[in-house]
Amino acid sequence: MPHTTDERISKELARLLYLGRLQTKGGRRALDPTDRGQLAFQALLLECLMSNREYPHPLEQPRKSAMASISGYLNAICHQLSHLEIHTNTAYRVASRLLPFLHDDHGVCGIPGLRLIDFTCRRVRLIHVPTGGRLDLVDSQRWHSKDIARMVFRQETDWHQMEGRSPLWRRNGLTDEETVHHACWAYTTSTPLRSALLIRSMPLWYRFDLQPAWVSGHPTRPDRLIWDAHSDTDHDRVVELLTRSEARIPGARYREKTRCSGVLELGSGSAQLISIL
């Protein structure tokens, strides 16, 4: 990535992260929030989005890979002043897969505590009650009227109301079934790292064509992120993005090993970005 002028760095960074415009504060780029609740919510959201069919998240539905397919709908992820904003091809569908659903056999699926604030012809506004974290899903197209938007939203979320169910995301507070998952949004030493990785995840999926997957080593949350690089060049650019560029993750440390994949350790203690060549 270029390092000659701030303008060139900003343009390259915006291109690499799929951002149309970077938020700035005092002349410096502000990629990450500082609010602990927002950080905790984004850390949880990262774990959900970086699941897949081979390595499903514990909150994934047992017979429907809802969260594992969301990354295919995303166009940009960026921090705004008061919320996280995700631009997507189908905001209502993504919302239906993130909102909590009480499965008869599996318990809560989706994100416990996530609630609908409202939706417009283009935007779905969500809040995570336990942390206060905010998420806006912005659609790539605008529906012509609120009536059409309401119809489409109902179609996408209809499965939440099968057999006369009352959707969890219409409740005012947390249910007992959701509360038992409190460890998923607890603030830990790796929370800022996980949140920061969410903001920088677009090039992992789309520019470098990597398929990261969480490997569970803990009963309540996954603790390792693994990727496979297609070439040494791709691997080097991922390492540069996460540890040495203007978009570097604060506090992440890098060290080399001797195989061809990468591991992001997110266990207890200081988080480290570990690349295995």
Side-chain angles (χ1 to χ4, degrees):
M1 280 180 267
H3 297 276
T4 54
T5 67
D6 287 344
E7 183 178 1
R8 288 183 60 192
I9 292 173
S10 295
K11 288 181 178 180
E12 175 67 3
L13 184 58
R15 181 188 67 82
L16 189 62
L17 296 179
Y18 292 77
L19 300 178
R21 178 173 19 176
L22 289 175
Q23 292 290 329
T24 60
K25 182 178 181 180
R28 301 183 63 182
R29 298 157 198 79
L31 289 179
D32 302 295
T34 56
D35 178 77
R36 285 173 63 94
Q38 186 70 33
L39 288 169
F41 169 63
Q42 292 182 186
L44 169 58
L45 182 58
L46 171 80
E47 295 176 7
C48 294
L49 295 185
M50 288 207 173
S51 63
N52 60 31
R53 288 173 175 81
E54 184 179 1
Y55 297 103
H57 191 280
L59 293 172
E60 184 65 272
Q61 295 191 53
R63 291 182 294 275
K64 182 177 182 180
S65 299
M67 294 190 298
S69 62
I70 287 177
S71 63
Y73 297 113
L74 306 185
N75 299 323
I77 301 175
C78 55
H79 162 57
Q80 299 295 343
L81 294 179
S82 61
H83 63 277
L84 178 71
E85 194 166 273
I86 295 182
H87 292 247
T88 169
N89 294 331
T90 170
Y92 300 165
R93 181 169 302 171
V94 171
S96 76
R97 299 183 181 191
L98 291 177
L99 287 167
F101 173 80
L102 187 57
H103 192 279
D104 289 337
D105 302 320
H106 189 70
V108 175
C109 307
I111 299 181
L114 192 63
R115 297 292 187 264
L116 174 69
I117 298 176
D118 59 31
F119 62 89
T120 68
C121 293
R122 191 181 179 191
R123 184 181 296 260
V124 180
R125 299 171 63 233
L126 304 168
I127 185 169
H128 188 239
V129 172
T131 62
R134 279 285 318 280
L135 169 64
D136 280 16
L137 301 170
V138 183
D139 210 300
S140 57
Q141 65 176 343
R142 180 186 298 276
W143 300 106
H144 295 300
S145 70
K146 188 62 181 287
D147 288 340
I148 294 177
R150 186 178 296 107
M151 178 188 68
V152 176
F153 184 82
R154 286 176 177 172
Q155 289 175 344
E156 293 291 355
T157 59
D158 185 60
W159 56 275
H160 284 259
Q161 304 174 67
M162 293 186 303
E163 301 176 354
R165 295 171 184 262
S166 175
L168 288 180
W169 42 271
R170 293 195 184 279
R171 307 287 181 89
N172 290 328
L174 287 182
T175 64
D176 292 340
E177 294 88 352
E178 293 173 295
T179 302
V180 300
H181 294 284
H182 63 90
C184 292
W185 58 78
Y187 194 96
T188 71
T189 54
S190 68
T191 292
L193 176 59
R194 284 179 284 134
S195 175
L197 190 60
L198 175 68
I199 301 296
R200 296 153 179 81
S201 59
M202 291 297 291
L204 295 179
W205 286 316
Y206 297 121
R207 194 167 298 281
F208 303 127
D209 194 27
L210 305 183
Q211 296 299 319
W214 292 94
V215 179
S216 181
H218 189 277
T220 59
R221 62 151 43 98
D223 66 357
R224 289 192 298 146
L225 175 64
I226 297 178
W227 71 74
D228 292 319
H230 298 290
S231 68
D232 289 344
T233 300
D234 283 346
H235 171 272
D236 291 344
R237 294 193 70 193
V238 171
V239 172
E240 181 181 19
L241 170 71
L242 299 180
T243 63
R244 295 194 291 267
S245 75
E246 285 289 298
R248 63 186 175 273
I249 297 177
R253 296 183 308 216
Y254 171 72
R255 66 184 185 190
E256 291 188 357
K257 288 202 173 181
T258 56
R259 279 187 6 191
C260 186
S261 60
V263 178
L264 190 60
E265 298 285 359
L266 297 175
S268 59
S270 298
Q272 300 181 57
L273 174 67
I274 302 177
S275 175
I276 303 177
L277 281 173

